[in-house]
PDB file of all heavy atoms in Angstrom:
ATOM      1  N   PRO A 220      28.355  -2.516  97.744  1.00 98.00           N
ATOM      2  CA  PRO A 220      28.573  -2.400  96.284  1.00 98.00           C
ATOM      3  C   PRO A 220      29.599  -3.162  95.668  1.00 98.00           C
ATOM      4  O   PRO A 220      29.736  -3.299  94.408  1.00 98.00           O
ATOM      5  CB  PRO A 220      28.912  -0.931  96.138  1.00 98.00           C
ATOM      6  CG  PRO A 220      29.603  -0.547  97.468  1.00 98.00           C
ATOM      7  CD  PRO A 220      29.026  -1.493  98.432  1.00 98.00           C
ATOM      8  N   SER A 221      30.455  -3.922  96.438  1.00 98.00           N
ATOM      9  CA  SER A 221      31.551  -4.589  95.786  1.00 98.00           C
ATOM     10  C   SER A 221      31.201  -5.755  94.918  1.00 98.00           C
ATOM     11  O   SER A 221      31.999  -5.940  93.920  1.00 98.00           O
ATOM     12  CB  SER A 221      32.503  -5.197  96.943  1.00 98.00           C
ATOM     13  OG  SER A 221      33.214  -4.022  97.588  1.00 98.00           O
ATOM     14  N   ALA A 222      30.145  -6.408  95.104  1.00 98.00           N
ATOM     15  CA  ALA A 222      29.873  -7.600  94.261  1.00 98.00           C
ATOM     16  C   ALA A 222      29.665  -7.132  92.780  1.00 98.00           C
ATOM     17  O   ALA A 222      30.029  -7.791  91.845  1.00 98.00           O
ATOM     18  CB  ALA A 222      28.600  -8.280  94.786  1.00 98.00           C
ATOM     19  N   SER A 223      29.037  -5.856  92.651  1.00 98.00           N
ATOM     20  CA  SER A 223      28.857  -5.379  91.266  1.00 98.00           C
ATOM     21  C   SER A 223      30.167  -5.088  90.634  1.00 98.00           C
ATOM     22  O   SER A 223      30.292  -5.201  89.401  1.00 98.00           O
ATOM     23  CB  SER A 223      27.963  -4.052  91.334  1.00 98.00           C
ATOM     24  OG  SER A 223      26.676  -4.516  91.620  1.00 98.00           O
ATOM     25  N   ILE A 224      31.102  -4.503  91.373  1.00 98.00           N
ATOM     26  CA  ILE A 224      32.342  -4.136  90.739  1.00 98.00           C
ATOM     27  C   ILE A 224      33.112  -5.492  90.365  1.00 98.00           C
ATOM     28  O   ILE A 224      33.637  -5.542  89.342  1.00 98.00           O
ATOM     29  CB  ILE A 224      33.260  -3.400  91.835  1.00 98.00           C
ATOM     30  CG1 ILE A 224      32.666  -1.902  91.974  1.00 98.00           C
ATOM     31  CG2 ILE A 224      34.666  -3.272  91.297  1.00 98.00           C
ATOM     32  CD1 ILE A 224      32.721  -0.999  90.856  1.00 98.00           C
ATOM     33  N   PHE A 225      32.982  -6.490  91.164  1.00 98.00           N
ATOM     34  CA  PHE A 225      33.629  -7.836  90.878  1.00 98.00           C
ATOM     35  C   PHE A 225      33.029  -8.223  89.548  1.00 98.00           C
ATOM     36  O   PHE A 225      33.760  -8.765  88.697  1.00 98.00           O
ATOM     37  CB  PHE A 225      33.378  -8.811  91.967  1.00 98.00           C
ATOM     38  CG  PHE A 225      34.012 -10.121  91.751  1.00 98.00           C
ATOM     39  CD1 PHE A 225      35.324 -10.190  92.109  1.00 98.00           C
ATOM     40  CD2 PHE A 225      33.379 -11.224  91.248  1.00 98.00           C
ATOM     41  CE1 PHE A 225      36.108 -11.410  91.900  1.00 98.00           C
ATOM     42  CE2 PHE A 225      33.929 -12.419  91.080  1.00 98.00           C
ATOM     43  CZ  PHE A 225      35.369 -12.580  91.397  1.00 98.00           C
ATOM     44  N   ALA A 226      31.659  -8.217  89.434  1.00 98.00           N
ATOM     45  CA  ALA A 226      31.033  -8.702  88.206  1.00 98.00           C
ATOM     46  C   ALA A 226      31.408  -7.918  86.922  1.00 98.00           C
ATOM     47  O   ALA A 226      31.621  -8.354  85.903  1.00 98.00           O
ATOM     48  CB  ALA A 226      29.475  -8.631  88.364  1.00 98.00           C
ATOM     49  N   TRP A 227      31.548  -6.586  87.272  1.00 98.00           N
ATOM     50  CA  TRP A 227      31.918  -5.664  86.148  1.00 98.00           C
ATOM     51  C   TRP A 227      33.321  -6.008  85.652  1.00 98.00           C
ATOM     52  O   TRP A 227      33.629  -6.017  84.479  1.00 98.00           O
ATOM     53  CB  TRP A 227      32.055  -4.244  86.682  1.00 98.00           C
ATOM     54  CG  TRP A 227      32.515  -3.239  85.683  1.00 98.00           C
ATOM     55  CD1 TRP A 227      31.698  -2.517  84.827  1.00 98.00           C
ATOM     56  CD2 TRP A 227      33.878  -2.768  85.476  1.00 98.00           C
ATOM     57  NE1 TRP A 227      32.541  -1.698  84.068  1.00 98.00           N
ATOM     58  CE2 TRP A 227      33.884  -1.871  84.449  1.00 98.00           C
ATOM     59  CE3 TRP A 227      35.073  -3.105  86.063  1.00 98.00           C
ATOM     60  CZ2 TRP A 227      34.984  -1.261  83.980  1.00 98.00           C
ATOM     61  CZ3 TRP A 227      36.187  -2.567  85.519  1.00 98.00           C
ATOM     62  CH2 TRP A 227      36.128  -1.584  84.486  1.00 98.00           C
ATOM     63  N   GLU A 228      34.283  -6.489  86.589  1.00 98.00           N
ATOM     64  CA  GLU A 228      35.636  -6.935  86.156  1.00 98.00           C
ATOM     65  C   GLU A 228      35.538  -8.088  85.213  1.00 98.00           C
ATOM     66  O   GLU A 228      36.301  -8.177  84.254  1.00 98.00           O
ATOM     67  CB  GLU A 228      36.506  -7.240  87.329  1.00 98.00           C
ATOM     68  CG  GLU A 228      36.955  -6.075  88.091  1.00 98.00           C
ATOM     69  CD  GLU A 228      38.186  -5.327  87.390  1.00 98.00           C
ATOM     70  OE1 GLU A 228      38.668  -5.869  86.298  1.00 98.00           O
ATOM     71  OE2 GLU A 228      38.543  -4.199  87.775  1.00 98.00           O
ATOM     72  N   LEU A 229      34.611  -9.035  85.506  1.00 98.00           N
ATOM     73  CA  LEU A 229      34.425 -10.213  84.728  1.00 98.00           C
ATOM     74  C   LEU A 229      33.880  -9.954  83.308  1.00 98.00           C
ATOM     75  O   LEU A 229      34.200 -10.449  82.354  1.00 98.00           O
ATOM     76  CB  LEU A 229      33.536 -11.297  85.330  1.00 98.00           C
ATOM     77  CG  LEU A 229      33.885 -11.813  86.779  1.00 98.00           C
ATOM     78  CD1 LEU A 229      32.886 -12.844  87.300  1.00 98.00           C
ATOM     79  CD2 LEU A 229      35.422 -12.394  86.735  1.00 98.00           C
TER      80      LEU A 229
END
Side-chain angles (χ1 to χ4, degrees):
S221 287
S223 286
I224 293 290
F225 185 82
W227 179 89
E228 284 287 351
L229 298 183

